[in-house]
Amino acid sequence: MTTLEELRTIPLFAMLDDRTLADTARYMEARTYRPGEYIAYEGERPAGVYFVQRGRVRLSRTAPDGREQVLAMVGAGENFNAVAIFDTHGTLTTARAMSAVHCLILPGDALITLIRRHPDLALAMLREMAGQLRNLAVLVEDLAFRSVRERLARELLREAREGAAELTHQELAERTGTVREIAGRALRQLAQEGLVRLERGRVVVLDPNGLARVGNGT
Amino acid sequence: MTTLEELRTIPLFAMLDDRTLADTARYMEARTYRPGEYIAYEGERPAGVYFVQRGRVRLSRTAPDGREQVLAMVGAGENFNAVAIFDTHGTLTTARAMSAVHCLILPGDALITLIRRHPDLALAMLREMAGQLRNLAVLVEDLAFRSVRERLARELLREAREGAAELTHQELAERTGTVREIAGRALRQLAQEGLVRLERGRVVVLDPNGLARVGNGT
DNA sequence: TGTGTTGTGGTACTAAAGTCGCAGAAAAGT
DNA sequence: ACTTTTCTGCGACTTTAGTACCACAACACA
């Protein structure tokens, strides 16, 4: 059970009328996760759609040899695991809390019932999925066309809040589809060129424009 | 305007009742394309959702330097371009007919109206999009984790109809995220190992099991 | 029968990415 | 204060992928 105000903070529900919203709220279950905690595992049966209220969640797929590829970072107001609800092949990506995370979980059958009743919710959900598809297409493009150096520069710009990105070389490698050593090497080069400064657990962006140039293949 | 029988051949519409179907049919426009013809371009304003009745359509993104990456092959009964309808950022992928293609086009606003009226259509559409997301996630995984050789083997198995895949080295390269020369090299190696036989414009699969083993990183 | 065009084969070379191994600094826990 | 874990730095090396060329065969078509 959840308050309507809480639901309103989620864009997907923002434009729904009070009746629809109240209807939705009764199926919602709140849940919190500690930093580093796993929220859902690739392949398992889905508990429902997760709506993130606070914190950041990392969605990834793992190779047999243990290498990980991050597919998306999900923040407040966004959702994940909808795919597993609509096709029936189990949870698509492993979800992990990268900070203290506060989620609302809507069970799959409840979501489907709600969508049947409220067409606007269906359209909103379709919009969300379309956005996710677009993001994944961009990721494919990056992996196919860009070098590690370029991908790294782009990821740093995406992640940089107030001039610094709080992540380790390992994490950066998993997001850009490479391994720790390579990410480290590329970072050191960027540092040498004066574009960033390296600190433990963070990368300070010194020259965003220069970094953007690198990210565009120049 | 289209007949109900035609629409029934498309899984998305298969389980809809006659009334819903008749409602849908009145907005549909049929269109045919010659092999090689471009159906839609990346970035342009979308004409609607395309439902493929016959033939195969290739969805791709193009890099500034001209390299192309195929995101999906779409066949009879499937659809494409839905993303562009639901978010508003223009057509996501260039679509090209790889054979004689017969499409039904449903304009975006018609689709949205129909979804408002028929919740089951919304759910079917969500299922479709979920499937597309899953396919893209698999592509990301392939690009991030597998070698060209592995990706090639997998693509050959996917494409092989009656033991042969009808495509050029160039086409194969664009699907597996590499360039023609590399694809050719890898193919020659597979041929030398007795797994395939190379002919002009086609690759004959001699040993599907062996190829599958290669595709799994063995 | 000639004349493009497309698809293929193959070499030599360069560059990018990944592997291996280890050592040391910084934080976290006890 | 000590140990353990996490994160980083870096060199040597191997492998994979990509670039640049060019020649030639098959096919399409006039």
Side-chain angles (χ1 to χ4, degrees):
Chain A
M1 202 44 186
T2 320
T3 67
L4 299 193
E5 290 74 43
E6 268 186 313
L7 279 186
R8 286 244 189 262
T9 65
I10 295 168
L12 183 69
F13 301 120
M15 70 280 291
L16 299 184
D17 58 276
D18 278 5
R19 213 182 99 261
T20 310
L21 218 57
D23 205 4
T24 307
R26 77 180 56 227
Y27 297 105
M28 284 285 194
E29 193 198 334
R31 182 114 163 57
T32 62
Y33 302 87
R34 316 187 153 277
E37 194 176 347
Y38 284 88
I39 301 173
Y41 292 95
E42 199 177 321
E44 78 183 1
R45 215 145 54 74
V49 184
Y50 294 75
F51 298 93
V52 179
Q53 295 183 289
R54 270 189 279 285
R56 305 190 76 204
V57 176
R58 189 179 82 147
L59 306 181
S60 67
R61 306 254 309 173
T62 308
D65 71 344
R67 240 173 94 173
E68 252 181 281
Q69 171 67 47
V70 175
L71 297 193
M73 296 298 301
V74 181
E78 300 178 305
N79 66 81
F80 63 92
N81 221 23
V83 172
I85 302 304
F86 295 112
D87 71 4
T88 39
H89 299 279
T91 295
L92 178 58
T93 56
T94 296
R96 190 176 178 203
M98 296 311 277
S99 62
V101 166
H102 201 167
C103 280
L104 294 175
I105 308 175
L106 183 60
D109 48 2
L111 177 62
I112 289 174
T113 307
L114 287 166
I115 284 178
R116 272 227 174 68
R117 260 192 288 222
H118 308 288
D120 282 344
L121 185 59
L123 288 171
M125 197 71 231
L126 282 163
R127 223 171 353 257
E128 293 281 325
M129 301 257 295
Q132 289 170 27
L133 257 164
R134 195 174 285 271
N135 287 339
L136 258 196
V138 170
L139 178 55
V140 167
E141 208 183 34
D142 278 9
L143 289 172
F145 299 146
R146 298 183 199 279
S147 67
V148 169
R149 177 181 160 85
E150 290 174 318
R151 301 203 295 267
L152 213 67
R154 292 161 73 80
E155 182 59 31
L156 284 175
L157 285 173
R158 268 195 292 269
E159 191 64 19
R161 315 230 177 285
E162 294 136 27
E166 306 277 339
L167 30 68
T168 66
H169 297 184
Q170 178 64 41
E171 176 66 22
L172 215 35
E174 289 174 5
R175 294 206 198 167
T176 52
T178 183
V179 293
R180 200 216 94 209
E181 292 90 328
I182 303 293
R185 217 182 278 171
L187 280 172
R188 262 169 270 145
Q189 203 189 336
L190 291 176
Q192 215 156 17
E193 296 166 19
L195 300 172
V196 300
R197 189 176 65 243
L198 303 183
E199 294 174 15
R200 189 189 168 85
R202 66 189 329 224
V203 181
V204 183
V205 176
L206 299 176
D207 179 356
N209 296 333
L211 215 51
R213 244 177 289 120
V214 170
N216 289 326
T218 316
Chain B
M1 202 46 185
T2 319
T3 67
L4 299 193
E5 290 73 42
E6 269 187 313
L7 280 186
R8 287 242 189 266
T9 65
I10 296 168
L12 183 69
F13 300 119
M15 69 279 290
L16 299 184
D17 59 275
D18 277 6
R19 214 183 98 260
T20 309
L21 217 56
D23 207 4
T24 306
R26 78 179 56 229
Y27 297 106
M28 284 286 193
E29 192 198 336
R31 181 113 164 56
T32 63
Y33 302 88
R34 314 185 154 279
E37 193 175 350
Y38 284 87
I39 301 174
Y41 291 95
E42 198 177 322
E44 78 183 1
R45 215 146 55 74
V49 184
Y50 295 75
F51 298 93
V52 179
Q53 295 183 290
R54 269 189 281 284
R56 305 190 76 203
V57 176
R58 188 179 84 146
L59 305 181
S60 66
R61 306 256 305 175
T62 308
D65 71 344
R67 239 174 94 173
E68 251 181 285
Q69 170 68 47
V70 175
L71 297 192
M73 296 298 302
V74 180
E78 300 178 305
N79 65 82
F80 62 93
N81 221 22
V83 171
I85 303 303
F86 295 113
D87 72 3
T88 39
H89 299 279
T91 295
L92 178 58
T93 56
T94 295
R96 190 178 177 201
M98 297 312 277
S99 62
V101 166
H102 201 166
C103 280
L104 294 175
I105 307 175
L106 183 61
D109 49 359
L111 176 63
I112 288 173
T113 307
L114 286 166
I115 283 177
R116 272 228 174 68
R117 260 191 289 221
H118 309 288
D120 282 345
L121 186 58
L123 288 171
M125 196 71 232
L126 281 163
R127 224 174 349 259
E128 293 281 325
M129 302 256 296
Q132 289 170 26
L133 257 164
R134 193 173 287 270
N135 288 338
L136 259 195
V138 170
L139 178 55
V140 167
E141 207 183 35
D142 279 8
L143 288 171
F145 298 146
R146 299 184 200 277
S147 66
V148 168
R149 176 181 160 86
E150 291 173 320
R151 302 203 294 268
L152 213 67
R154 293 161 71 81
E155 183 59 33
L156 284 175
L157 285 172
R158 268 195 293 269
E159 191 64 19
R161 317 229 175 285
E162 295 137 25
E166 306 277 339
L167 30 67
T168 66
H169 297 183
Q170 178 64 40
E171 176 64 22
L172 214 34
E174 289 175 5
R175 294 207 199 167
T176 52
T178 184
V179 293
R180 200 216 95 209
E181 291 89 333
I182 303 293
R185 217 181 278 170
L187 281 172
R188 263 168 269 147
Q189 202 189 337
L190 292 176
Q192 216 157 19
E193 295 165 21
L195 300 172
V196 300
R197 188 176 67 242
L198 302 183
E199 295 174 13
R200 190 188 167 84
R202 68 195 322 229
V203 180
V204 182
V205 176
L206 300 175
D207 180 356
N209 296 332
L211 215 50
R213 244 177 289 119
V214 170
N216 289 327
T218 316

